[in-house]
Amino acid sequence: MRTRAASLYGKKDIRIREFELPEISDDELLVKVVSNSLCLSTYKAAILGEDHKRVPETIQSNPIMTGHECSGVIEEVGSNLKDRFHAGERFVLQPAMGLDSGYSAGYSYEHFGGNATYMIIPKIAIDLGCVLSMKDDYFANASLSEPMSCIIGAFNASYHTTPYVYEHEMGIKEGGSLALLGCAGPMGIGAIDYAINGKVKPKRVVVTDINQNRLDRAKQLVTEEEAAEKGIELTYVNTSGDGVVDALMELSGGRGYDDVFVFAPVTELLVQADEILGNDGCLNFFAGPTDKQFKVPFNFYNVHYASTHLVGTSGGSTGDMIESLELSAEGKINPSYMITHIGGLNAAPHAILHLNEIPGGKKVIYPHIEMELTAIADFEELGKTQPLFRELHLIVEKNNGIWCKEAERHLLKYAGASGGRV
């Protein structure tokens, strides 16, 4: 099978490579990738190249396929796997392989990565249970089950205690107060969605940000009315002014918060989080800092006398990812809230290398079309001269400006009419 892939050859060197894949072994799968969402972790690997812990030193001669948040369709099944998989089956990849080498899809393999038209899933990934079945047929949401699993994993990793009982009660507190600080960005919106519609229901959710436009968008997507219908008091707060801690404490009824999540590596946010923790409160540091010496003061008086504590997570488990897929298929959460841009495989190299500079949320690549990375917000203007974007704008406009299954189907069906490859 011939494939085209956005492959990493060295530091800041990503190229579209077209080549013939080898025949699969009896223990491998050949798959067609339908969608891949771009992750900042891929940007970090592209910048560091072979100095990245997951990237082999041989990439100049054996470039690796980028991308790991992907979903698609199984094309060919190795003979030893025919009792487990079948051609035509939809799949989503769980990329967290947990190998001692650190190797994983999108970082380490010449034939195994999501920014490709076709790839080969190796035996080691299959044996580790990294190939999950898709019940739904909306590929972008499936690709986003990986970042959603990071959110779900963080919620599951929070914990609470009972005095003199030496077992942790895992997860955010049922019926408790939850504060989500710096939380109106793309991942934050996913967290708000999960806080309201996940398996554990807090009594109160307070969302903060200093950008009113982002707060307004989050409030439009996950409304206070929707939360109230589920018995949850949801409040959005702009914390760009003074008196932030006092205002947040007042919203908690003066008791502080059982769970506080911080979504940006900002000292001020972490200080706020520490100050609003209630008794047995759990501070969850969700953001990943780039500064290896990032340090913030923490109130250890409260650690001793109020049992406050701190956790941090990176990534999600297979179980977290399955939960995301199930909730998405049932329509209880919508990972597509995070999507702000779409593009074809040709857009992947530039998008990856400039991912930290491109505003907005998640960028979804459809490898079987060719299209410059395009903001959903630009569809209306582009549609004045391009019929494809005119139709896409009409579809997403009906869906509150959100990318959706109907838009994905239209793109995959008609992108060829405007010069794409389908």
Side-chain angles (χ1 to χ4, degrees), residues 28-49:
E28 294 179 328
L29 297 171
L30 172 68
V31 301
K32 174 183 178 179
V33 181
V34 177
S35 74
N36 181 82
S37 58
L38 301 183
C39 177
L40 196 61
S41 297
T42 302
Y43 161 78
K44 295 173 184 177
I47 297 302
L48 292 172

Side-chain angles (χ1 to χ4, degrees), residues 108-246:
S108 317
Y109 299 91
E110 187 176 3
H111 306 138
F112 184 28
N115 286 317
T117 51
Y118 296 90
M119 69 174 179
I120 294 173
I121 303 181
K123 180 179 186 300
I124 189 168
I126 296 165
D127 290 346
L128 289 169
C130 294
V131 184
L132 307 180
S133 179
M134 272 180 64
K135 296 179 182 178
D136 196 7
D137 58 353
Y138 179 25
F139 292 96
N141 258 10
S143 292
L144 289 165
S145 65
E146 196 281 333
M148 275 303 304
S149 78
C150 300
I151 294 168
I152 294 171
F155 274 63
N156 288 335
S158 293
Y159 70 90
H160 297 280
T161 63
T162 301
Y164 311 113
V165 176
Y166 303 108
E167 294 181 0
H168 291 168
E169 300 166 8
M170 300 306 298
I172 65 169
K173 193 173 186 66
E174 180 83 41
S177 292
L178 168 65
L180 304 174
L181 307 188
C183 193
M187 290 293 280
I189 289 173
I192 302 165
D193 191 15
Y194 184 71
I196 302 304
N197 298 299
K199 61 185 180 182
V200 178
K201 297 289 190 294
K203 177 183 179 181
R204 176 183 295 109
V205 177
V206 176
V207 177
T208 80
D209 205 284
I210 59 173
N211 185 310
Q212 190 59 46
N213 289 333
R214 293 197 304 185
L215 278 169
D216 290 343
R217 182 58 172 161
K219 190 174 182 178
Q220 180 185 21
L221 295 174
V222 186
T223 68
E224 293 158 325
E225 292 75 17
E226 174 192 349
E229 291 174 359
K230 296 176 170 62
I232 299 171
E233 177 189 313
L234 173 62
T235 307
Y236 291 92
V237 181
N238 188 319
T239 53
S240 58
D242 298 326
V244 171
V245 170
D246 289 342

Side-chain angles (χ1 to χ4, degrees), residues 69-127:
E69 298 178 0
C70 61
S71 62
V73 179
I74 295 173
E75 291 283 310
E76 188 177 338
V77 180
S79 60
N80 292 337
L81 302 173
K82 292 188 181 297
D83 59 336
R84 296 173 56 189
F85 304 98
H86 63 268
E89 181 180 358
R90 294 185 297 271
F91 80 94
V92 60
L93 185 69
Q94 157 59 293
M97 296 169 67
L99 300 175
D100 292 340
S101 64
Y103 281 14
S104 62
Y107 299 91
S108 317
Y109 299 91
E110 187 176 3
H111 306 138
F112 184 28
N115 286 317
T117 51
Y118 296 90
M119 69 174 179
I120 294 173
I121 303 181
K123 180 179 186 300
I124 189 168
I126 296 165
D127 290 346

